[in-house]
Amino acid sequence: MAEELKVFRTWSSPFALRVVWALQLKGVPFETIYEDLSNKSSLLLQYNPIYKKVPVLVHNGKPLAESLVILEYIEETWKQTPLLPQDPFERATARFWARFGDDKVLPSIWNVFIKQGKEQEEAMVTAQGSLKYLEEELRGKKFFSGEKIGLVDLAFGWIANLVDVFEEVKGVTLIDHENHPLLLAWKQNFMDAPIIKESWPSRDKLITKYHAMLEAYTAKEAAAK
Amino acid sequence: MAEEVVLLDFWASVFGMRVRIALAEKGIKYESKEEDLRNKSDLLLKMNPVHKKVPVLIHNGKPVCESLIIVQYIDEVWNDSSPLLPSDPYQRAHARFWADFVDQKVYDASRRVWRTKGEEQEAAKKDFFESLKTLVRELGDKPYFGGETFGFVDIALITFYSWFYVYETYGKFSIEAECPEIIAWAKRCMQKESVANTLPDQKKVYDLLW
């Protein structure tokens, strides 16, 4: 039976991009379906009724949601170009950092971007604390996963392209040479890596999108007061 | 080399209980160190510097943190008996999705049920029951979330059962009345030694908060 593999994504979703990268790194062909989240397709709602979000992977008609869950499925189904180590302890460590990224790093950086005043200041303290762990984790390594790109790098991929979009739109500095030399080196290596470098969403489009998002959020907050 | 397995835990932690159930399912001998969460040990701070939380599994000196990650680790290392996750990749992904759902939806709502009042609490109650009813739909007419056998998702969810009296008393509701299928499933799980020997008495958990 021919493999049928579809990825539901948006042009900008960093979570969907992880799935795209994983499949491209493994050389697995797939069909892309772009969603408009303001007008979700009935297929998306059918395949991800719980969260109604992208990404969704549909393999031979069977859907999966949640990017980190999808990444592990891809890893177990297509064994070439492994993204996780074989050793159980190293695998547990990789899973730990991937979760840390989504549970701690992303929310705090997002709050630095979207919030104002005291909330923003507190978020910056949390964000810097989290970034320090990432900087330490990179010591002696080119990528979080070692010599080659792995699951943790894909999970942190949004740091490489979105953080400086947030910095430019908001006018803040999150990552700098003094405090995060290793993270900046990782960012360059990751951005320029084959396959990875071909899929970045347009930076100009991202600037426009997040500028609009920040304006809308700020106006809404001001009106609520 | 002799295996050295140490668990840093707190008896009422729903997350720590998950690890203890997994260890019991596999028949793994381990040393349990009870933490005082208001006065965390040097060992805990050293083994989990990022989150400083329990549970932490220390296997031959190396720490594994985050309960669902620990349970997967246990399943991968002690892989000769009592599998906790299915072997088929799609079924495994399915299990990971629903365990993550428990963390994303059930945990958050349950905390708000007993920690908030008024409108916030009403919203929490609604979210809590919605998440339980979603899980009931997923369970369907299977005996366990894992199908015929107790597995990863059952482990992720059953530990909250020890806190049901807390939620019911603070929330002023009956889970059995709202969601009898969850109670039926929980009682089925409680028939397993690994679960019954791990979960503390519901009233004991309630007294902790008083």
Side-chain angles (χ1 to χ4, degrees):
Chain A
M1 180 181 70
E3 294 272 31
E4 194 205 47
L5 192 59
K6 299 183 197 212
V7 174
F8 286 74
R9 64 172 293 192
T10 58
W11 68 269
S12 60
S13 163
F15 304 103
L17 199 47
R18 296 168 175 175
V19 174
V20 166
W21 284 329
L23 292 170
Q24 287 175 342
L25 284 168
K26 289 184 180 268
V28 179
F30 61 96
E31 185 194 337
T32 299
I33 294 145
Y34 283 97
E35 284 286 327
D36 171 2
L37 295 183
S38 64
N39 185 20
K40 293 174 184 179
S41 74
S42 54
L43 264 185
L44 178 67
L45 299 177
Q46 179 195 321
Y47 286 138
N48 190 3
I50 304 292
Y51 299 114
K52 306 176 175 53
K53 286 182 181 176
V54 294
V56 171
L57 184 86
V58 185
H59 187 202
N60 294 330
K62 298 201 286 194
L64 281 173
E66 294 299 284
S67 61
L68 294 183
V69 171
I70 297 171
L71 287 184
E72 294 238 25
Y73 175 77
I74 291 171
E75 177 69 357
E76 289 176 7
T77 305
W78 294 279
K79 311 257 191 219
Q80 65 275 28
T81 313
L83 301 171
L84 275 173
Q86 287 296 331
D87 173 69
F89 181 75
E90 288 176 39
R91 289 160 78 84
T93 305
R95 288 174 177 140
F96 175 89
W97 287 113
R99 278 254 68 102
F100 177 72
D102 281 1
D103 293 347
K104 300 286 180 197
V105 186
L106 180 51
S108 59
I109 287 184
W110 177 250
N111 282 337
V112 170
F113 172 68
I114 207 81
K115 306 272 184 199
Q116 312 263 20
K118 194 159 183 288
E119 273 187 289
Q120 182 188 335
E121 278 170 31
E122 285 170 1
M124 181 58 99
V125 172
T126 310
Q128 289 303 323
S130 298
L131 288 170
K132 207 161 160 233
Y133 283 119
L134 300 193
E135 184 71 15
E136 278 170 26
E137 204 30 44
L138 280 169
R139 209 170 294 159
K141 294 194 286 197
K142 183 177 180 191
F143 295 108
F144 286 99
S145 307
E147 271 309 295
K148 298 207 202 121
I149 287 173
L151 187 136
V152 180
D153 302 282
L154 300 190
F156 285 142
W158 61 272
I159 294 179
N161 78 322
L162 275 182
V163 169
D164 63 59
V165 167
F166 294 159
E167 287 176 333
E168 184 177 320
V169 171
K170 188 74 186 243
V172 289
T173 304
L174 279 152
I175 299 180
D176 62 78
H177 280 281
E178 195 194 331
N179 293 300
H180 316 106
L182 298 178
L183 202 50
L184 284 169
W186 168 84
K187 178 182 158 173
Q188 205 54 54
N189 286 325
F190 188 75
M191 290 212 79
D192 293 342
I195 291 176
I196 304 290
K197 70 180 178 190
E198 279 132 39
S199 1
W200 294 112
S202 147
R203 193 174 186 277
D204 288 341
K205 269 181 90 176
L206 287 171
I207 296 275
T208 306
K209 174 196 161 103
Y210 284 104
H211 195 84
M213 206 182 273
L214 182 60
E215 266 190 15
Y217 186 88
T218 309
K220 193 166 144 223
E221 289 290 292
K225 287 201 166 74
Chain B
M1 180 182 71
E3 295 276 25
E4 194 202 48
V5 182
V6 177
L7 177 66
L8 305 183
D9 195 8
F10 176 64
W11 67 272
S13 161
V14 295
F15 304 108
M17 289 173 217
R18 290 169 170 174
V19 178
R20 282 186 271 140
I21 292 173
L23 290 165
E25 282 288 304
K26 299 276 189 179
I28 298 163
K29 290 202 185 355
Y30 65 99
E31 185 194 342
S32 191
K33 288 191 200 272
E34 183 72 8
E35 286 285 331
D36 174 356
L37 298 181
R38 296 157 304 174
N39 186 19
K40 293 173 181 178
S41 72
D42 288 341
L43 183 62
L44 175 60
L45 299 178
K46 180 176 164 215
M47 291 287 147
N48 190 359
V50 175
H51 299 300
K52 306 174 178 53
K53 286 182 177 175
V54 293
V56 179
L57 189 80
I58 310 173
H59 185 205
N60 296 330
K62 298 201 290 192
V64 184
C65 307
E66 296 296 284
S67 62
L68 294 181
I69 293 177
I70 299 172
V71 172
Q72 286 182 81
Y73 174 81
I74 289 169
D75 202 40
E76 287 177 15
V77 172
W78 289 275
N79 56 8
D80 48 355
S81 67
S82 308
L84 304 175
L85 275 114
S87 50
D88 169 70
Y90 185 76
Q91 297 302 328
R92 288 165 77 81
H94 206 71
R96 287 183 177 125
F97 174 88
W98 284 106
D100 175 68
F101 177 86
V102 172
D103 275 357
Q104 277 200 55
K105 299 289 179 190
V106 176
Y107 174 59
D108 174 67
S110 67
R111 272 190 106 221
R112 286 183 286 124
V113 160
W114 71 270
R115 293 184 123 198
T116 64
K117 292 192 166 70
E119 261 182 54
E120 258 196 278
Q121 192 186 40
E122 289 307 306
K125 283 157 72 170
K126 186 164 169 281
D127 291 342
F128 179 68
F129 282 116
E130 239 176 69
S131 67
L132 287 186
K133 285 175 182 171
T134 302
L135 284 161
V136 164
R137 279 195 293 275
E138 168 55 23
L139 182 65
D141 48 23
K142 305 195 293 285
Y144 301 104
F145 287 93
E148 287 306 308
T149 48
F150 181 80
F152 193 59
V153 182
D154 303 281
I155 293 175
L157 183 61
I158 190 57
T159 61
F160 288 86
Y161 181 66
S162 64
W163 280 66
F164 274 14
Y165 184 71
V166 169
Y167 307 146
E168 287 178 324
T169 309
Y170 280 80
K172 297 188 179 42
F173 54 65
S174 155
I175 296 176
E176 176 121 45
E178 290 281 344
C179 207
E181 301 92 338
I182 277 292
I183 300 295
W185 160 84
K187 289 189 171 157
R188 194 174 302 126
C189 292
M190 285 293 284
Q191 283 170 11
K192 293 184 66 68
E193 246 183 76
S194 60
V195 179
N197 289 345
T198 295
L199 262 54
D201 176 68
Q202 290 187 0
K203 296 260 166 72
K204 203 172 160 216
V205 176
Y206 175 78
D207 288 342
L208 168 74
L209 301 174
W210 248 88

